[in-house]
Amino acid sequence: MAASSSNAEGTQLEDMEEEDAGIKEEMADEEDEEEGMGVESSDDEEDDLSEDDKENEAEIQRLEEQLSINAFDYNCHLDLIKLLRQEGELSRLRTARQKMSELFPLTEEIWLEWLKDEIRLTEEESNREQIYELFEKAVKDYICPDVWLEYAQYSIGGMGSPGGLEKVRSIFERALTAVGLHMTKGSTVWDAYREFENVMLSTVQPAAGSVPSAEEQGKHNTQLKRIHTLFRRQLAVPFMDLEATYSEYEEWSEDGVPEALTHQYKKALQHLAKSRPFEETLLAAEPPKMAEYQAYIEYELKEGDPARIQIILERALAENCLVPDMWAKYTNYLDRQLKIKDLVLSAHERAVRNCPWTMGLWKSYLLALERHGAEHHIVTDVFEKALDAGFIQATDYVDIWQTYLDYLRRRVDFSKESSKELEELRAAFSRALDYMKQDVEERFSESGDPSCSIMQIWSKIEAHHCKNIQKARELWDSIMTKGNAKYANMWLEYYNLERSYGDALHCRKALHRAVQCSSDYPEHVCEVLLTFERVEGSLEDWDIAVQKTNTCLGRLKEQRARVAGKEANQAALEEEKAEHRRKAKVDKKAQKKSQPGGKAGDKRKAAHADDQEAWDEDAERAPKRHKGAGDGGVEEDMETEMGLFGRRTPTARHKGPPPGAKKPQQQASASTTRAKQDDKPELRNDNNSVFISNMAYTLAEPEQKLRALFERCGPLEQVRLVFSKAGAFKGYGYLQFESKASVPEALKLDRQEVEGRPVFVSPCVDKNTNPDFKVFKYNSAMEKHKVFISGLPFSCTKQQLEELCKGHGAIKDVRLVTYRSGKPKGLAYVEFADETQASRAVLKLDGTVVGDNQIAVSISNPPRKNPKDQAGGPTSSALMPRQVYGSRGRGRTQVSLLPRSLQRPSSPVGKAENGTAAAEDDGGQEFKKPAKPLSNSDFAKMLLKK
């Protein structure tokens, strides 16, 4: 019986081999037939290629040349592979795929196409190992159920070789470990495994009517046990088709379903019920599904099953492979929880291959290598790759160098006076300083390490571990010569080093130099010097210290007195100007009352002048509406009265009634209506209102246009527009909705154009009760997923800009920066789906010619605000004179009425930077004494000097 069983199994394998051989023969016949047809059809074209072939060959050469210049052009690799596959250039196609796989992890679709091509071309059994090696590479890039299934099915064809059956089962088991918990695709691998074992069961099935031998019965029972075990393992895993698998097991099992398995199955169903909403959300969502995956990951983290946490993180990364934060979350979880060397290091390697520009992933990789005892040359190779990765910021290179230097320091045995590791550490420190000075400064125009943190660490290692205080002093001398001598904290760091490892003489020298050189916090340095002399110094040392500190503090006191004097003089001038305006207003009003007669034109002029003075007087108290361009955009300040209902508004400058303005009777009626509203403050509701501004003074029928624009947000209860005393529209007002829910919808219409001019929409807030309220629409920090574009032609539209950028990534938003009038500034912001696409757009688009203009493209990174504008800054009040302007700031188009002979030169206008307009500054002129106001006769004398 054993012989018959063996013969049956052998017959089964022979049938499979014959079938496989038949398929190969058919493929060979097809190829021969194609070659024959090719010979017949190419008789007339042997000397020259067709036009299409020439064009394709030229395109292939162009792509290969482009890749020789930039090997990291992902799309170029894809185009080349597609074209070579189309042309049938098999050897060049294999080379192109290999080069791409060395630089990038490949998606499941690319691997499957490659594998199927290689399987089709490989006929000899000796080449099967090469296909196995290719499969091994494929399953390492991402979680790939389809590749694992293809791998297992391909291995079945090699069962006839020694150990073939064990290899098939080994591959299936690895596939279950890798993707068996996949909620939607894992069941395909389970089903394929069971189907294979069922086929193997048929090979050991005793013949009908025969009595099986003990050996045959043993093989049959062993195979049955394998299938039972597979069913039980699968029914313990929650996946979408679990009920169908349970029904299949009920039909297959002759002994029924064990109670323990039923309990396990019900537990899996409970877990499935909790996970099903997340899976359904993922199926319905559009890529990249980041929010949906984040919610799913948080759920699995709370559940705490490591295998399920790993599988959902792998699934998220397969669809979001260019998101550094997702890789960081995965690698951190593996480092802290699983701590399996092969799994951890593989994940770190995949992370830096997918996001090589992210310094944090390289840093974590180096630490993981050290943590798991990797060989020194491997750590060094990874560090060298990190230096070539192309980080976005100069500080990233400082961090990666510090991580590597920390690793080298931990390798040194400092109990020995000299060692190979110590010399390597010192050489690495020297190389790091040269690298920061040459490579980093040349690329970023900054060192990235202004405080010289690398040299500080080196000095501490030399002083503490190597007892080489002289080397530490040399390093600190170099630190101070790099512009750090003016900072008190740097001198105190040096002093603490000398205090710990040096002597009193060098401590005293350091503090004396600190008192002389530091300019930010000299009082603190003086205090440290006096304290040191109380503990260590002689009377002579004490006298010298007192003399130096008194000189320093006296100089500081004089400097602060000058600054305070400047501020006092400036405040006095402003107060005097305000008093002069108030007196002029009172005098004109008195003059107006004393002259009841006069022409109508004179009355209008007097009213206009009166209104203008009222505007100027109230401008200082009017709140500002800050629309921060933040994301690198331009900050626009606009005078508004946000929520100051019931306050008299000064009239704006106007030239007669605007086109479409109401007639006097209509104006009177409107004024009466507004007066009635003003008399009923209980009708107003700030929570249901928005403030609108920046409309043209000449806008005809403003109320009807606003109602047409905002009616989509919800029913309007009131439209309160602000008019001057003469009935002219002032360009702003208030909209009150019936429901508070309409306010967020109305705010979304901010900057919608009305007759070519953007209308500003902001929350309605009473500035009297909320004086610090500001509206910042855009971010003011670096946004790596957003690019800033300058130099655009004024005719460039949003659609044209989107068309220009869409080839470099998925665009989430495009914003053209305009003046308040709606005219373009030639600046724009384009927000991409992630920072990789933004970086690619910078590389591709910077310097591109649009129209007749060459544009500049960079990552959105607005410059920091001037310290004098930031409250609480050390230089805001102590050292810098404060400029006081009106509520509109310093006008950029104001005409100076001061004679040129008295004008003070102002500091040059700063160059426009990423996200900000050029700033203007008065240069902080000194006032020796309060300036005396000049009369008209004084001005006349100066004008008639010559």
Side-chain angles (χ1 to χ4, degrees):
M1 296 296 292
S4 63
S5 174
S6 176
N7 292 335
E9 181 175 353
T11 303
Q12 182 79 13
L13 294 176
E14 289 174 2
D15 292 341
M16 295 176 66
E17 291 176 357
E18 290 176 1
E19 181 180 357
D20 187 42
I23 293 174
K24 291 181 178 178
E25 288 177 3
E26 291 178 5
M27 292 174 62
D29 293 340
E30 291 176 0
E31 291 178 359
D32 292 340
E33 184 177 355
E34 290 175 0
E35 289 177 1
M37 293 175 63
V39 170
E40 294 175 2
S41 61
S42 60
D43 289 340
D44 298 331
E45 301 177 358
E46 291 180 353
D47 296 335
D48 56 349
L49 297 173
S50 66
E51 291 299 324
D52 291 341
D53 291 338
K54 290 181 179 180
E55 291 179 3
N56 290 340
E57 182 62 28
E59 180 65 13
I60 290 173
Q61 292 179 0
R62 186 190 68 80
L63 292 172
E64 289 177 340
E65 182 179 354
Q66 185 173 343
L67 287 175
S68 66
I69 299 172
N70 179 15
F72 290 91
D73 191 333
Y74 188 86
N75 292 326
C76 188
H77 280 283
L78 292 180
D79 294 340
L80 178 60
I81 289 173
K82 182 179 179 180
L83 200 55
L84 289 173
R85 191 169 189 264
Q86 177 181 336
E87 290 296 302
E89 297 281 351
L90 302 181
S91 60
R92 295 170 70 183
L93 174 62
R94 183 181 290 115
T95 303
R97 282 168 165 167
Q98 289 173 349
K99 287 182 178 180
M100 185 177 182
S101 66
E102 291 172 359
L103 297 174
F104 302 101
L106 306 184
T107 63
E108 189 174 30
E109 293 76 13
I110 297 176
W111 274 118
L112 284 173
E113 184 180 76
W114 186 359
L115 289 164
K116 289 178 180 179
D117 287 346
E118 293 291 345
I119 291 172
R120 182 174 61 85
L121 296 173
T122 303
E123 298 181 358
E124 298 179 5
E125 190 67 25
S126 59
N127 294 331
R128 182 172 288 273
E129 289 300 323
Q130 297 178 3
I131 304 298
Y132 285 150
E133 292 176 2
L134 198 59
F135 269 113
E136 289 296 330
K137 292 180 180 179
V139 297
K140 290 179 180 179
D141 281 347
Y142 302 111
I143 183 173
C144 42
D146 293 338
V147 174
W148 275 111
L149 188 61
E150 187 74 22
Y151 191 8
Q153 291 174 346
Y154 178 74
S155 66
I156 294 175
M159 284 177 52
S161 60
L165 180 60
E166 290 75 12
K167 187 176 184 65
V168 174
R169 285 176 173 152
S170 172
I171 292 172
F172 267 119
E173 288 295 335
R174 290 173 58 200
L176 292 180
T177 303
V179 300
L181 295 180
H182 198 296
M183 192 75 74
T184 57
K185 296 183 178 181
S187 60
T188 58
V189 180
W190 286 101
D191 294 343
Y193 196 2
R194 282 191 292 101
E195 184 179 352
F196 167 74
E197 292 296 353
N198 275 319
V199 172
M200 297 309 300
L201 176 63
S202 64
T203 63
V204 296
Q205 187 79 26
S210 63
V211 179
S213 65
E215 183 179 356
E216 289 177 336
Q217 190 64 40
K219 288 183 178 181
H220 182 263
N221 293 338
T222 301
Q223 192 62 27
L224 282 175
K225 187 176 180 180
R226 282 197 182 98
I227 299 174
H228 275 289
T229 302
L230 279 175
F231 267 118
R232 291 168 185 170
R233 290 168 60 189
Q234 185 176 1
L235 290 173
V237 177
F239 58 90
M240 301 302 286
D241 297 330
L242 190 61
E243 296 88 347
T245 303
Y246 184 77
S247 300
E248 184 179 350
Y249 183 53
E250 284 182 319
E251 296 177 3
W252 184 85
S253 177
E254 298 177 354
D255 301 329
V257 181
E259 183 177 352
L261 180 58
T262 302
H263 175 72
Q264 201 173 12
Y265 165 70
K266 291 180 179 179
K267 188 176 179 181
L269 283 178
Q270 292 175 357
H271 192 108
L272 176 62
K274 296 179 181 178
S275 303
R276 190 185 295 274
F278 295 101
E279 292 291 343
E280 292 174 349
T281 303
L282 283 176
L283 290 174
E286 295 291 333
K289 310 179 185 179
M290 278 296 298
E292 292 78 10
Y293 273 118
Q294 290 285 6
Y296 204 166
I297 291 169
E298 292 300 324
Y299 161 73
E300 292 293 358
L301 287 172
K302 291 179 181 178
E303 292 293 314
D305 186 344
R308 299 209 62 82
I309 294 171
Q310 182 189 355
I311 198 72
I312 189 59
L313 284 168
E314 286 281 3
R315 289 175 61 186
L317 288 168
E319 295 193 50
N320 300 277
C321 59
L322 300 180
V323 180
D325 291 342
M326 186 65 71
W327 282 108
K329 176 179 287 190
Y330 185 34
T331 54
N332 288 339
Y333 176 77
L334 295 178
D335 287 334
R336 296 176 182 177
Q337 301 297 328
L338 298 186
K339 302 179 181 180
I340 302 173
K341 179 179 178 180
D342 293 339
L343 181 61
V344 170
L345 296 184
S346 173
H348 279 287
E349 182 183 7
R350 292 160 55 206
V352 297
R353 289 186 69 198
N354 280 276
C355 305
W357 64 88
T358 307
M359 183 278 304
L361 297 178
W362 288 101
K363 181 177 179 180
S364 299
Y365 191 10
L366 290 173
L367 293 173
L369 288 170
E370 182 183 3
R371 192 177 296 119
H372 291 281
E375 296 182 6
H376 176 57
H377 71 89
I378 296 177
V379 179
T380 301
D381 290 343
V382 170
F383 170 70
E384 295 296 338
K385 291 179 181 178
L387 291 182
D388 296 333
F391 299 140
I392 299 175
Q393 303 179 71
T395 53
D396 290 344
Y397 288 95
V398 179
D399 290 341
I400 200 67
W401 266 110
Q402 286 182 337
T403 303
Y404 182 61
L405 293 170
D406 292 345
Y407 158 73
L408 293 179
R409 194 268 306 164
R410 288 189 283 266
R411 296 182 68 244
V412 178
D413 182 3
F414 290 102
S415 61
K416 302 177 182 179
E417 292 185 3
S418 179
S419 64
K420 179 181 177 181
E421 290 78 8
L422 178 58
E423 295 304 319
E424 184 179 4
L425 174 62
R426 284 172 171 161
F429 269 113
S430 298
R431 183 191 168 199
L433 298 180
D434 292 338
Y435 187 90
M436 299 304 298
K437 182 178 180 181
Q438 297 174 7
D439 297 67
V440 176
E441 286 190 15
E442 180 179 349
R443 178 180 175 187
F444 296 96
S445 300
E446 59 172 320
S447 67
D449 189 17
S451 61
C452 301
S453 58
I454 293 178
M455 274 199 283
Q456 288 191 48
I457 294 172
W458 189 5
S459 67
K460 291 177 181 178
I461 291 175
E462 292 288 351
H464 177 67
H465 292 291
C466 303
K467 313 302 179 186
N468 189 354
I469 188 63
Q470 186 58 38
K471 178 64 176 179
R473 288 169 183 156
E474 293 175 2
L475 291 170
W476 268 102
D477 285 341
S478 179
I479 291 173
M480 291 306 181
T481 58
K482 294 183 180 296
N484 292 299
K486 58 184 177 181
Y487 299 115
N489 67 311
M490 299 297 288
W491 284 108
L492 294 180
E493 283 287 338
Y494 179 34
Y495 162 74
N496 290 331
L497 183 77
E498 288 286 359
R499 194 71 170 148
S500 300
Y501 308 107
D503 51 45
L505 176 62
H506 286 88
C507 287
R508 183 175 292 109
K509 287 183 178 180
L511 291 175
H512 284 179
R513 292 171 64 191
V515 170
Q516 182 179 359
C517 299
S518 61
S519 59
D520 52 353
Y521 298 104
E523 303 100 321
H524 186 45
V525 176
C526 292
E527 183 181 351
V528 173
L529 174 59
L530 294 176
T531 302
F532 172 77
E533 296 299 356
R534 282 193 174 98
V535 176
E536 298 284 347
S538 62
L539 178 59
E540 182 180 359
D541 295 330
W542 171 261
D543 291 339
I544 295 173
V546 169
Q547 180 182 358
K548 287 183 176 294
T549 55
N550 287 342
T551 302
C552 175
L553 297 177
R555 184 172 62 249
L556 179 65
K557 185 177 180 181
E558 292 176 1
Q559 181 183 7
R560 290 178 176 173
R562 286 196 300 271
V563 173
K566 294 176 187 177
E567 292 184 349
N569 291 339
Q570 189 71 13
L573 285 175
E574 294 298 327
E575 183 63 27
E576 189 173 350
K577 290 179 182 179
E579 182 65 25
H580 177 71
R581 287 194 298 269
R582 284 193 291 269
K583 287 182 179 180
K585 178 182 176 182
V586 172
D587 293 344
K588 288 191 177 182
K589 284 186 177 181
Q591 185 180 4
K592 179 180 176 182
K593 291 180 180 179
S594 64
Q595 298 176 359
K599 298 180 181 179
D602 296 337
K603 289 183 179 181
R604 284 195 297 270
K605 291 179 181 178
H608 170 70
D610 190 27
D611 293 340
Q612 183 61 36
E613 288 181 5
W615 176 268
D616 292 339
E617 180 181 357
D618 289 350
E620 297 179 4
R621 300 190 298 271
K624 293 183 179 180
R625 178 181 185 266
H626 297 274
K627 295 298 294 183
D631 49 65
V634 180
E635 180 177 308
E636 300 174 1
D637 294 342
M638 175 179 173
E639 298 175 10
T640 61
E641 297 179 63
M642 299 174 62
L644 299 183
F645 305 125
R647 168 178 173 171
R648 291 181 62 84
T649 307
T651 50
R653 183 176 301 164
H654 63 280
K655 296 180 180 180
K662 299 180 181 179
K663 296 180 180 180
Q665 294 83 354
Q666 294 174 333
Q667 293 173 359
S669 175
S671 301
T672 304
T673 303
R674 290 193 299 274
K676 289 180 180 179
Q677 292 178 359
D678 292 342
D679 293 338
K680 296 181 179 181
E682 68 275 3
L683 297 178
R684 299 185 182 126
N685 187 342
D686 291 3
N687 295 329
N688 292 11
S689 303
V690 294
F691 178 76
I692 54 173
S693 57
N694 200 48
M695 290 177 287
Y697 292 163
T698 58
L699 182 65
E701 303 292 341
E703 181 172 343
Q704 286 77 0
K705 288 183 171 60
L706 288 174
R707 285 185 179 275
L709 177 62
F710 287 92
E711 64 182 2
R712 73 186 79 168
C713 305
L716 280 165
E717 186 173 344
Q718 294 182 22
V719 177
R720 300 190 298 276
L721 303 178
V722 180
F723 293 84
S724 67
K725 293 179 181 178
F729 179 45
K730 300 190 69 175
Y732 63 93
Y734 306 88
L735 300 180
Q736 182 170 320
F737 295 91
E738 294 181 2
S739 172
K740 185 178 179 180
S742 301
V743 173
E745 297 300 320
L747 293 175
K748 293 179 182 178
L749 298 181
D750 182 40
R751 310 228 174 198
Q752 288 287 323
E753 291 190 358
V754 174
E755 294 191 359
R757 186 180 179 93
V759 175
F760 296 161
V761 186
S762 57
C764 187
V765 177
D766 190 343
K767 293 288 283 188
N768 289 331
T769 58
N770 298 277
D772 297 329
F773 177 80
K774 294 180 181 179
V775 179
F776 290 101
K777 182 175 180 181
Y778 304 108
N779 194 357
S780 59
M782 172 181 279
E783 294 180 280
K784 298 181 181 179
H785 65 289
K786 188 176 293 186
V787 299
F788 170 74
I789 304 177
S790 59
L792 289 168
F794 292 155
S795 60
C796 182
T797 65
K798 183 176 180 180
Q799 291 75 16
Q800 290 173 341
L801 190 57
E802 186 172 353
E803 186 69 24
L804 176 67
C805 299
K806 70 179 184 180
H808 307 288
I811 297 176
K812 297 178 66 177
D813 185 41
V814 175
R815 184 171 68 86
L816 293 173
V817 182
T818 64
Y819 292 100
R820 288 172 53 182
S821 63
K823 293 182 179 180
K825 293 187 175 183
L827 309 175
Y829 296 90
V830 180
E831 182 178 358
F832 289 89
D834 54 60
E835 60 187 72
T836 306
Q837 298 175 1
S839 301
R840 187 185 305 132
V842 171
L843 294 174
K844 297 289 185 180
L845 295 178
D846 188 32
T848 303
V849 176
V850 177
D852 295 331
N853 296 14
Q854 183 175 6
I855 64 173
V857 185
S858 60
I859 295 296
S860 176
N861 184 20
R864 295 180 179 177
K865 289 182 177 293
N866 194 314
K868 69 180 181 180
D869 297 331
Q870 299 179 0
T875 61
S876 61
S877 61
L879 299 178
M880 297 296 294
R882 183 180 178 184
Q883 299 293 337
V884 181
Y885 303 120
S887 61
R888 284 186 283 184
R890 180 182 180 183
R892 300 182 68 177
T893 59
Q894 287 178 336
V895 178
S896 174
L897 299 180
L898 190 64
R900 291 190 179 92
S901 60
L902 293 183
Q903 288 183 359
R904 301 177 186 271
S906 60
S907 59
V909 177
K911 182 180 178 181
E913 299 183 43
N914 178 0
T916 183
E920 298 182 3
D921 188 11
D922 278 347
Q925 307 332 3
E926 294 189 9
F927 294 88
K928 299 299 182 182
K929 60 181 180 180
K932 181 180 179 181
L934 298 175
S935 64
N936 290 338
S937 60
D938 294 331
F939 279 100
K941 290 176 183 179
M942 287 184 287
L943 290 171
L944 297 174
K945 266 185 179 182
K946 299 181 179 181

